Amino acid sequence: MTAQLIDGKLIAQNIRAQVAAEVAQRTAAGKSKPGLATVLVGDRVDSAAYVASKQKACQELGMESFHHHLPADVSQAELEKLVQALNNDPKVSGILVQLPLPAHLNEERVLELVSIEKDVDGLSPINIGRLAQKGREPLFVPCTPSGCIYLLDQVGVEIEGANAVVLGRSNIVGMPMALLLVSRNATVTICHSRTQDLPNIVHRADILIAAIGRMEMVRGDWIKPGAAVIDVGMNEKPDATKKKGYRLVGDVNFDEAKELADWITPVPGGVGPMTIAMLMKSTLRAAQIQQGELSNE
Ligand code: NAP
């Protein structure tokens, strides 16, 4: 194995410890605890599990969590009324609407409604718009892509001037990831399902971010020797030796890629733990902005 592992689990634990220490300091000084409101619509098992781990993280870090579970057939008006109420609630520092929403709901309108000062997921059009514009700063950036940047920074991978290839252009991962890399002065290529000759494009990447949801699709011989590989994918691979009947694997064939890359994230234990750690960091930041300790410009 030539690649060094990027230990997302450990790096995320360090972030969580820092956030917990700051929260404890704030509460000891008589300030209110940062609070995260989670909104889950319907009964998707994966979404419920993600929300539960976000609530658990809040408890572990000494923050408040306020959970709202709405039925799958909730009306747009009712959901919007809840988001407005959370915007107006001073105990709520951050609002996270778990995506995807059921098809009858207008996701864009809901995200538009979240106050930018409470948009800890960084998905409101204003925060994303600011991220896309040169010289503007969003108040929050989406948690998974910001976690990827944090990992690269932690291990000292040079982003400025690097050729970065992002596989995937979703609103929550691929596109904000590409924008963040551009803002850090990387030269970025965004690939998607219609991209021609993916292996050759990937082979030019000093930094490769894979976020396509296709099990182990990126093969070892696509990887440029010395590259940093960040694998966002989480795919369930059948495995009879596991209690659940599957194990998690990424979008990159890890065993092959680790022979070529200099740095690589494992799945699990790479990007996954970073998403929640960055959300907790953002929730603390939201509380600081709302209490006037940080600028809301
Ligand atoms: P998504 O919304 O399904 O988007 C997938 C993207 O990949 C799309 O842009 C799609 O292209 C592109 N794509 C699909 N097949 C492709 C192919 N064969 N070649 C090239 N591009 C292809 O997925 P997502 O929400 O961004 O998530 C991506 C992966 O990351 C999933 O495995 C998900 O579970 C994982 N994830 C992990 C975390 C975490 O915390 N670790 C967080 C979020 C997501 P088109 O745009 O052309 O359709």
Side-chain angles (χ1 to χ4, degrees), residues 265-283:
T265 56
V267 176
V271 176
M274 291 300 292
T275 299
I276 293 188
M278 297 313 275
L279 177 67
M280 296 298 108
K281 209 166 142 64
S282 290
T283 305

Side-chain angles (χ1 to χ4, degrees), residues 155-166:
V155 298
V157 170
E158 180 76 30
I159 299 177
E160 180 156 331
N163 276 328
V165 171
V166 179

Side-chain angles (χ1 to χ4, degrees), residues 83-134:
V83 172
Q84 286 287 24
L86 297 173
N87 279 339
N88 295 331
D89 184 343
K91 293 198 293 298
V92 170
S93 322
I95 301 171
L96 181 131
V97 180
Q98 186 67 39
L99 302 178
L101 293 173
H104 71 282
L105 295 169
N106 184 330
E107 179 181 300
E108 192 183 345
R109 268 193 16 220
V110 174
L111 294 177
E112 247 170 44
L113 213 61
V114 174
S115 149
I116 63 158
E117 294 190 1
K118 296 192 175 188
D119 177 33
V120 284
D121 226 5
L123 294 174
S124 89
I126 296 179
N127 276 321
I128 288 285
R130 286 188 183 177
L131 180 61
Q133 290 180 327
K134 197 173 175 196

Side-chain angles (χ1 to χ4, degrees), residues 50 143-145 148 166-175 190-195 198 210-215 217 222 231-235 249-251 267 270-276:
Y50 294 142
C143 300
T144 302
C148 295
V166 179
L167 305 183
R169 57 174 165 184
S170 70
N171 290 339
I172 59 166
V173 189
M175 194 54 78
I190 305 172
C191 301
H192 46 76
S193 64
R194 315 292 159 81
T195 299
L198 214 46
I212 48 181
R214 297 280 179 270
M215 189 185 303
M217 196 182 95
W222 300 16
D231 193 349
V232 183
M234 288 199 301
N235 310 288
V249 298
D251 291 340
V267 176
V271 176
M274 291 300 292
T275 299
I276 293 188

